[in-house]
Amino acid sequence: MAIKLSRGQKIDLTKNNPLLDRIVIGLGWAADQGVDLDTAAFLLRADGKIESDDDFVFCGHLKHSSNSVEHGGDNKTGGEGDVEQIHVELGRVPADVERIDFTATIYDAKERNQHFGMVKNAYIRVVDESSGQELVRFNLVEDFSDETALVVGEIYRHKGNWKFNAIGAGTGGGLSMICRMFGVKDLGALSKRGDD
């Protein structure tokens, strides 16, 4: 049975499960008609920034060069109601990557006058890919009616193990703001899907 977390809670993923290597980060939600969400993963170094734009994995750049992180594509329904999935192979994550943050943003939010108040039942979950067992789930229950971008959760290294952190932090400015926050240099890459 999955452990349900509240905002700000952290949990070990590999300390008591050292064979865990391939995980699926499943993200799901129910959105008002016409509200289109996108998810992404940012492979971050000690300074909280990406090293190169290759470390920004999203529907316009589906796979990291290390093959450690792969985005399942835009709005491809996964198992158990996931709308999008990101696959992570922990053993392949480059050694200098300290954490991987998972985000959700609303496509063209500014132009469409949309925000996360139009999104309900949002969650992030961690699944053991080999067994299909859900390990952790974080349901976002806060009202994000002023936000167009969320850092939903992250996995991070801690004393040789991987942990999960339920973040649930929102911001305005959509995907471009999140990208600037994490150090993406070529914001033109966003045109592959469209900015906020």
Side-chain angles (χ1 to χ4, degrees):
M1 184 171 175
I3 296 172
K4 294 187 178 178
L5 299 183
S6 299
R7 184 177 179 179
Q9 287 187 307
K10 301 173 177 67
I11 188 169
D12 278 301
L13 294 175
T14 57
K15 185 176 182 180
N16 296 318
N17 190 3
L19 297 180
L20 181 68
D21 186 44
R22 300 178 68 92
I23 61 173
V24 177
I25 305 297
L27 298 107
W29 56 81
D32 290 357
Q33 188 170 1
V35 178
D36 184 11
L37 273 67
D38 292 312
T39 61
F42 295 84
L43 287 77
L44 306 173
R45 273 48 182 194
D47 63 356
K49 306 284 187 185
I50 64 171
E51 186 174 81
S52 75
D53 288 351
D54 179 51
D55 297 330
F56 168 38
V57 178
F58 70 117
C59 58
H61 173 64
L62 293 175
K63 187 183 284 191
H64 190 262
S65 60
S66 66
N67 294 319
S68 62
V69 178
E70 182 173 3
H71 195 292
D74 185 37
N75 294 330
K76 300 243 185 344
T77 302
E80 298 297 319
D82 297 342
V83 179
E84 293 190 6
Q85 294 184 332
I86 298 171
H87 300 260
V88 181
E89 190 170 345
L90 299 172
R92 286 180 176 263
V93 176
D96 60 342
V97 171
E98 293 205 354
R99 67 184 215 256
I100 303 173
D101 278 30
F102 303 99
T103 65
T105 56
I106 297 176
Y107 174 63
D108 271 347
K110 186 176 180 182
E111 290 78 2
R112 298 178 182 189
N113 195 29
Q114 296 174 345
H115 51 77
F116 270 97
M118 300 172 170
V119 178
K120 307 292 184 234
N121 303 321
Y123 68 84
I124 183 171
R125 68 189 190 119
V126 181
V127 177
D128 180 344
E129 188 168 18
S130 64
S131 69
Q133 178 186 2
E134 181 177 297
L135 305 173
V136 180
R137 178 179 287 257
F138 168 43
N139 295 316
L140 285 80
V141 296
E142 290 81 10
D143 177 17
F144 295 104
S145 57
D146 292 327
E147 286 87 354
T148 57
L150 295 176
V151 179
V152 186
E154 69 181 4
I155 59 172
Y156 66 98
R157 297 183 200 264
H158 179 71
K159 296 182 179 177
N161 291 300
W162 285 96
K163 298 182 78 171
F164 176 81
N165 180 16
I167 297 177
T171 184
L175 181 58
S176 60
M177 176 64 76
I178 292 277
C179 286
R180 282 192 290 272
M181 183 173 78
F182 289 137
V184 173
K185 295 170 184 65
D186 180 16
L187 293 180
L190 303 184
S191 64
K192 294 177 183 176
R193 175 60 173 94
D195 197 357
D196 60 358

